[in-house]
Amino acid sequence: LEKDWRDSIQCWKDDGDSHETIVRKCALRDHHISKSTVTRILNKEFVEREYCPTSLKDRELFSSIRDLVLQSYLDNSECTIGTIQKEIKEKFEETISTGVVRRIREECGLTCYNTRYGHSVREVNRPLRLAFCEKQLAERNTFTHHCFTDECRVQLSANSRYVFCLRGDVQRRVKSKHKNPVGVMIWGGIGWDGPTPLVLLDTNAKVDAGTYQAIIDKAYKEWSRELYGEHGVLIQDNAPAHTAKSTQVYFAGEGIKTLDWPAESPDLNAVEI
């Protein structure tokens, strides 16, 4: 890793350049040296020095400060530099710059990555989720006569995250994107014996209780009875249209069975796979 112009001399030497060639290359960088200087730089023994910022009032505290920085990121990978600076100020009465924290991170081997988020469950809903899972296991429920359903809005315009262009052809990276892209709402379900008919809604359609009941009446009710008779079970999330009182009355009147699904389920709904 080249950090100083002198590092280039070693790189050029490793590439097979002569001392005369190295002198000329240094001159092009406004470093006028002789062949004897090149020899001295090449023969100089490198001694790695331990990093310690000169801004510290008490340098003996640096080891503890470095440990605090490392532990802060190990405890919370999203920790901010400002939080670390404040903690160092309170604990050691030392003021360090943002650059020092970044240098310590580098020395400790910490690397920056893009954050990736996974579906989680709030603390208050975890006991309910656990109780649901334990109940299904105890009943040996294999979901052989259940239908997993959901609605999804599909964008019809281009939405690709990547493009492939020839090197340097940066103009082709730019693609047009409308502020309000056209999309369509689709309802569907899938069970052990296959999928339900799909229902495509108007572009501006809103799935309220009445719309949802019409969807179930059109695409689910007869499909389920043909496959499972009176034993079919509808699985849906807790959207307002699904849990509305009028929807529950409709289910009861049509004899449609449902399975109470816990809030914030981290499992992929089978219809989304």
Side-chain angles (χ1 to χ4, degrees):
L1 180 64
E2 184 177 326
K3 295 183 179 180
D4 187 84
W5 67 272
R6 298 175 181 83
D7 295 335
S8 299
I9 295 178
Q10 184 62 59
C11 295
W12 292 330
K13 184 62 177 177
D14 293 341
D15 291 338
D17 290 345
S18 64
H19 283 40
E20 291 82 358
T21 303
I22 293 174
V23 169
R24 287 197 298 269
K25 288 184 175 181
C26 287
L28 293 175
R29 296 190 178 188
D30 292 329
H31 298 294
H32 300 283
I33 61 175
S34 63
K35 290 190 290 183
S36 60
T37 303
V38 173
T39 301
R40 186 169 65 253
I41 292 174
L42 292 174
N43 294 335
K44 185 176 180 180
E45 183 179 354
F46 174 74
V47 179
E48 185 176 0
R49 298 179 181 177
E50 184 176 351
Y51 171 69
C52 182
T54 57
S55 59
L56 292 180
K57 294 182 292 185
D58 186 355
R59 294 195 175 189
E60 293 184 357
L61 294 175
F62 178 67
S63 178
S64 299
I65 291 175
R66 181 177 54 195
D67 292 342
L68 184 148
V69 173
L70 176 60
Q71 193 59 47
S72 296
Y73 284 107
L74 292 178
D75 293 340
N76 178 15
S77 60
E78 297 178 308
C79 187
T80 63
I81 290 180
T83 302
I84 293 175
Q85 289 174 316
K86 183 178 179 181
E87 189 173 354
I88 291 174
K89 180 68 175 178
E90 294 175 351
K91 190 171 183 179
F92 302 106
E93 298 183 353
E94 291 278 2
T95 301
I96 65 173
S97 66
T98 299
V100 171
V101 178
R102 289 174 177 166
R103 178 67 182 273
I104 293 175
R105 284 193 314 211
E106 181 182 346
E107 295 285 333
C108 293
L110 294 166
T111 305
C112 180
Y113 296 98
N114 291 333
T115 303
R116 298 188 65 180
Y117 293 96
H119 196 163
S120 185
V121 181
R122 292 185 181 89
E123 197 73 34
V124 66
N125 289 324
R126 291 179 183 179
L128 300 176
R129 179 66 186 169
L130 179 61
F132 171 81
C133 294
E134 290 177 340
K135 180 181 178 182
Q136 302 308 312
L137 289 172
E139 295 177 354
R140 298 183 179 275
N141 192 348
T142 55
F143 300 95
T144 54
H145 53 282
H146 296 65
C147 180
F148 295 83
T149 65
D150 204 0
E151 306 92 18
C152 179
R153 182 177 176 82
V154 179
Q155 182 176 318
L156 300 181
S157 58
N159 59 357
S160 175
R161 295 179 57 190
Y162 304 101
V163 294
F164 294 89
C165 309
L166 294 174
R167 190 181 302 277
D169 189 6
V170 296
Q171 296 297 328
R172 296 189 66 237
R173 294 179 56 193
V174 182
K175 303 295 180 182
S176 61
K177 183 178 181 180
H178 304 293
K179 185 175 182 180
N180 298 305
V182 177
V184 60
M185 183 71 75
I186 301 176
W187 177 94
I190 191 169
W192 189 273
D193 296 290
T196 67
L198 293 178
V199 177
L200 274 67
L201 305 177
D202 293 337
T203 302
N204 299 319
K206 181 179 180 181
V207 182
D208 54 18
T211 303
Y212 183 64
Q213 293 163 29
I215 292 173
I216 297 298
D217 192 75
K218 175 182 178 180
Y220 171 78
K221 186 172 66 174
E222 294 302 324
W223 174 89
S224 176
R225 287 174 179 170
E226 288 180 4
L227 289 176
Y228 309 118
E230 301 298 322
H231 303 291
V233 178
L234 173 68
I235 293 182
Q236 57 185 2
D237 59 24
N238 295 302
H242 302 173
T243 58
K245 186 175 181 179
S246 62
T247 301
Q248 301 306 312
V249 172
Y250 165 76
F251 286 161
E254 296 293 335
I256 296 175
K257 299 178 182 179
T258 61
L259 178 64
D260 292 334
W261 206 251
E264 296 186 303
S265 172
D267 302 329
L268 280 175
N269 189 329
V271 77
E272 298 173 344
I273 297 177

